Amino acid sequence: MEVRPNPTEDNASIPQPHHRHAAAAPLKQATNSPIPVDTSSVSQRLQKELMSLMMSGGDLGVSAFPEGESIFTWIGTIEGGKGTMYEGLSYKLSLRFPMDYPFKPPQIKFETMCFHPNVDQFGNICLDILQDKWSSAYDCRTILLSIQSLLGEPNPESPLNSYAAALWCNKEDYQKMVHKQYFAGEAFES
């Protein structure tokens, strides 16, 4: 049985997933199941992240809490950053943590309508740290701050919303669309 280290405050000390080891010795691993999932250590990690967020996140314009009884499903909030076209707006997100978190990224979607080059009409987000640049060193606070930063600094070269990407150059029209979709979506939620 493989033993994993306990997550610590300094997440940088967490080793990368042991996929390389499994690939190096496929014959030894053939009869074993994949890395066992210890949901209690994942729950403990999420509890730590929740406490960390509660202590500092609100000051940074980000927050998140478990939705209902499950520690694996959260609702988050991001305030638009000062000096951005999203300033004064508050966005709700859903966060779903996989059983093998932090070795796999959570699934995060905007629940509030968000007009943005890297957010599609369904709230899906195109952000490298949620996909191929994921690291087990990231935590919920880091993710929310990265999404908050993405609002003010989109990547129009890799758009999910090509209309928003094209409009990004025209700041006045772009901001009108941000507010139009935000307030239309808010009325829709009510």
Side-chain angles (χ1 to χ4, degrees):
M1 181 169 131
E2 186 172 340
V3 179
R4 284 184 168 170
N6 286 332
T8 60
E9 288 293 314
D10 177 15
N11 292 336
S13 66
I14 297 173
Q16 292 299 311
H18 300 283
H19 298 289
R20 283 185 225 114
H21 181 265
L27 295 176
K28 289 182 183 179
Q29 297 286 327
T31 57
N32 294 343
S33 62
I35 298 171
V37 175
D38 180 0
T39 57
S40 68
S41 69
V42 177
S43 295
Q44 287 174 343
R45 163 124 179 194
L46 288 171
Q47 290 285 354
K48 271 188 185 175
E49 290 188 22
L50 177 61
M51 291 306 294
S52 173
L53 249 177
M54 289 171 64
M55 300 301 270
S56 66
D59 299 340
L60 304 168
V62 298
S63 64
F65 300 94
E67 179 183 38
E69 299 296 314
S70 174
I71 191 74
F72 293 93
T73 305
W74 293 19
I75 292 292
T77 305
I78 292 178
E79 303 294 326
K82 291 192 187 316
T84 72
M85 290 183 249
Y86 299 87
E87 184 174 0
L89 305 179
S90 177
Y91 290 89
K92 185 170 134 182
L93 297 104
S94 62
L95 298 87
R96 309 232 181 283
F97 295 91
M99 294 295 179
D100 49 358
Y101 178 79
F103 300 105
K104 295 276 195 262
Q107 292 179 333
I108 302 179
K109 289 177 71 170
F110 275 92
E111 296 297 323
T112 306
M113 255 326 221
C114 182
F115 183 77
H116 190 277
N118 307 115
V119 179
D120 72 14
Q121 64 186 357
F122 306 107
N124 297 308
I125 305 165
C126 179
L127 180 61
D128 59 359
I129 69 162
L130 294 176
Q131 293 147 10
D132 59 330
K133 301 286 188 210
W134 174 253
S135 165
S136 59
Y138 296 137
D139 62 8
C140 187
R141 183 175 160 275
T142 307
I143 297 164
L144 292 173
L145 290 171
S146 295
I147 295 170
Q148 183 186 51
S149 176
L150 181 70
L151 286 179
E153 299 171 23
N155 179 2
E157 303 304 312
S158 177
L160 282 179
N161 180 336
S162 53
Y163 178 61
L167 201 57
W168 176 248
C169 295
N170 184 333
K171 303 299 183 204
E172 189 177 318
D173 288 346
Y174 184 91
Q175 187 161 19
K176 284 178 186 173
M177 278 304 292
V178 166
H179 284 89
K180 180 180 176 182
Q181 285 209 355
Y182 179 85
F183 291 110
E186 193 175 76
F188 181 72
E189 285 180 25
S190 300

